[in-house]
Amino acid sequence: MKPRIAAHFGPLFRFQDATLEGRPNVTGAHVILPARLEPMTRSGEIYVTKDFKDSARTSYQVKKKYVFDSLGMMRLAKDFGEDKVFRLRKRTDPKEIIDPIMALDLTNTLPRPKGPDDDEKKLLDSLGATRNPQAFQALVQVSPLIKDMSNRSGPFLFALATLLKSGGMYQKAIDALDLLENQVLKAEDLEIRPYQYDLKVLALKTDCLSRLRRYQEAANLIYGVFKANENDSNTLSMLAAQYKRHGLYATSDTTPSMRDRTLIDRALNLYKEAFRRDITAYYPAINAAYLGIMLGGKQSDEGRKLAAFVCKYWQEGWDIDAWRRAATERGEKPDWWLPVSVAEAQMLLEGDSLEALVSHFAKLVNELKPTWFEKASTREQIEIYGIVTGRIGQVQPILDILDPNG
């Protein structure tokens, strides 16, 4: 065997793990980081972070026996960002010829799109800070940078499209993405379109098309993304979302129903496959739980078991204060999706008795300050569940809390 080993150094959160019969366990960003580094490690070798290297090198015995070969900045698995990485070896082991190559960034041989200018940055900051939907849309309408997007930078157009989607302005987001895909860079005598096949651009455009119920266009795009990366759990989930939406709504429908159970069953299977490929991903798990319960019968029992798993496995999402501390430690804005997914899973388990959950949803909204899109998407999911299962009266207080225009 030639195992891959990754190591990191940092503070951990200890907790009593119910899944381990109450035995102590640890969690936190510093547990996740080496897990994201391990898939990038070469077989039979040990990769470590700079924090691990700096800590270990305080030991005389380590400095005497071991060497840390720099591999430069390395992109971690599952879009976890980048970190400075070193290969740990004995002093008696040879230095690999590939190590100095890995430490180089050779992509500067390609032409680079220009970054956002100061005006673009100011507008993005203003839009990102605007929580009121009416004020957001008013700012979009009057901004000269949005009225004429033809000469804007690529990073600006992508960030703008992301914000426009978050503000519910899906067609405007698609307009920005269309311009982005057609941007041209000069490379000697060649013209390059750097964003035309960018998977993040295609995925964002797919979501916007789906929200506008342009299902066929959305399905064609996301299937192309899927073929480019068939092992990606997120892409499978997005493909499942197209089947789900098309199964619940016709193009002109305003009220969801089990319009096409075959499509919804296919969506359920794709969500389960996405979760099977990445059991750390709660998004496909909670969606599979919803669809199973809505389909009824045997799938309903399976859906409740999945909901129970979400509550147990991601129990830290239930403690908002602990979740905010963990996000702050990572230097991130506290995420909305995990805590609200855990709350939704608990809602699926409690059936008609939801009084205790209403105050929890209110606390989530008050403390995590979700965007228009985050509130609207969560509300839509719960509303679909309420209508299809006949529980709309029970979930209505939660829907009122999640009103994106409230």
Side-chain angles (χ1 to χ4, degrees), residues 320-371:
I320 303 174
D321 295 330
W323 181 243
R324 291 183 69 175
R325 286 196 302 271
T328 301
E329 180 195 334
R330 295 191 302 270
E332 300 172 358
K333 173 184 176 292
D335 178 59
W336 163 257
W337 297 111
L338 174 57
V340 81
S341 294
V342 174
E344 289 175 89
Q346 190 65 42
M347 177 194 74
L348 296 178
L349 292 174
E350 293 191 12
D352 296 341
S353 178
L354 301 175
E355 291 85 354
L357 272 174
V358 173
S359 60
H360 184 70
F361 273 93
K363 185 177 181 181
L364 283 172
V365 170
N366 184 56
E367 295 198 12
L368 298 181
K369 303 291 190 295
T371 65

Side-chain angles (χ1 to χ4, degrees), residues 295-324:
L295 280 166
K298 182 179 178 181
Q299 288 102 323
S300 181
D301 183 53
E302 187 179 79
R304 287 187 172 83
K305 288 179 180 177
L306 271 171
F309 180 84
V310 170
C311 289
K312 180 171 68 174
Y313 192 81
W314 287 284
Q315 58 185 311
E316 73 271 19
W318 189 255
D319 186 338
I320 303 174
D321 295 330
W323 181 243
R324 291 183 69 175

Side-chain angles (χ1 to χ4, degrees), residues 124 127-128 136 154-170 172-174 176-177 180 200-201 203-205 207-208 371-374:
L124 292 174
L127 289 171
F136 180 90
F156 168 79
L157 288 173
F158 182 77
L160 175 64
T162 303
L163 288 168
L164 290 170
K165 187 202 82 165
S166 296
M169 303 181 73
Y170 304 122
K172 202 75 176 173
I174 291 172
L177 293 172
L180 181 61
K200 289 183 179 180
V201 172
L204 180 57
K205 192 172 186 180
D207 202 9
C208 292
T371 65
W372 185 96
F373 176 78
E374 289 169 340

Side-chain angles (χ1 to χ4, degrees), residues 10 41 57 116 205 208 223 294 373 387:
T41 306
R57 282 181 67 89
K205 192 172 186 180
C208 292
Y223 190 72
M294 290 192 292
F373 176 78
I387 291 173

Side-chain angles (χ1 to χ4, degrees), residues 105-238:
D105 181 0
L106 303 176
T107 58
N108 55 12
T109 57
L110 297 173
R112 295 276 188 173
K114 66 176 183 178
D117 61 30
D118 289 342
D119 289 338
E120 291 173 343
K121 290 177 182 176
K122 287 178 183 176
L123 177 59
L124 292 174
D125 289 342
S126 296
L127 289 171
T130 305
R131 292 291 176 178
N132 180 277
Q134 291 75 28
F136 180 90
Q137 293 183 14
L139 182 56
V140 169
Q141 297 299 332
V142 301
S143 171
L145 298 184
I146 300 178
K147 285 183 178 179
D148 180 13
M149 297 185 288
S150 57
N151 295 315
R152 306 271 56 93
S153 72
F156 168 79
L157 288 173
F158 182 77
L160 175 64
T162 303
L163 288 168
L164 290 170
K165 187 202 82 165
S166 296
M169 303 181 73
Y170 304 122
Q171 185 55 56
K172 202 75 176 173
I174 291 172
D175 293 342
L177 293 172
D178 285 341
L179 286 170
L180 181 61
E181 289 177 294
N182 288 312
Q183 279 199 345
V184 172
L185 283 180
K186 294 284 188 178
E188 303 301 336
D189 294 330
L190 298 177
E191 290 188 347
I192 297 173
R193 286 182 166 81
Y195 299 102
Q196 191 167 25
Y197 302 107
D198 188 300
L199 298 186
K200 289 183 179 180
V201 172
L202 295 176
L204 180 57
K205 192 172 186 180
T206 296
D207 202 9
C208 292
L209 287 168
S210 179
R211 301 285 171 179
L212 293 173
R213 300 186 187 174
R214 291 159 62 177
Y215 301 121
Q216 189 59 60
E217 295 171 78
N220 289 342
L221 269 185
I222 200 60
Y223 190 72
V225 174
F226 169 67
K227 292 302 291 181
N229 190 7
E230 294 191 11
N231 291 319
D232 182 56
S233 172
N234 291 334
T235 305
L236 274 173
S237 292
M238 292 193 70

Side-chain angles (χ1 to χ4, degrees), residues 19-39:
T19 64
L20 299 177
E21 299 179 344
R23 284 178 288 175
N25 202 346
V26 294
T27 186
H30 295 288
V31 176
I32 298 172
L33 196 155
R36 298 297 180 259
L37 175 58
E38 177 270 325

Side-chain angles (χ1 to χ4, degrees), residues 42 44-48 67-71 85-90 93-99:
R42 295 198 298 261
E45 296 187 354
I46 302 172
Y47 284 6
V48 303
V67 175
F68 295 87
D69 294 326
S70 175
L71 303 181
V85 175
F86 298 81
R87 173 178 174 248
L88 174 61
R89 63 179 172 90
K90 293 180 181 178
D93 291 341
K95 183 170 183 176
E96 297 288 353
I97 187 63
I98 196 173
D99 290 344

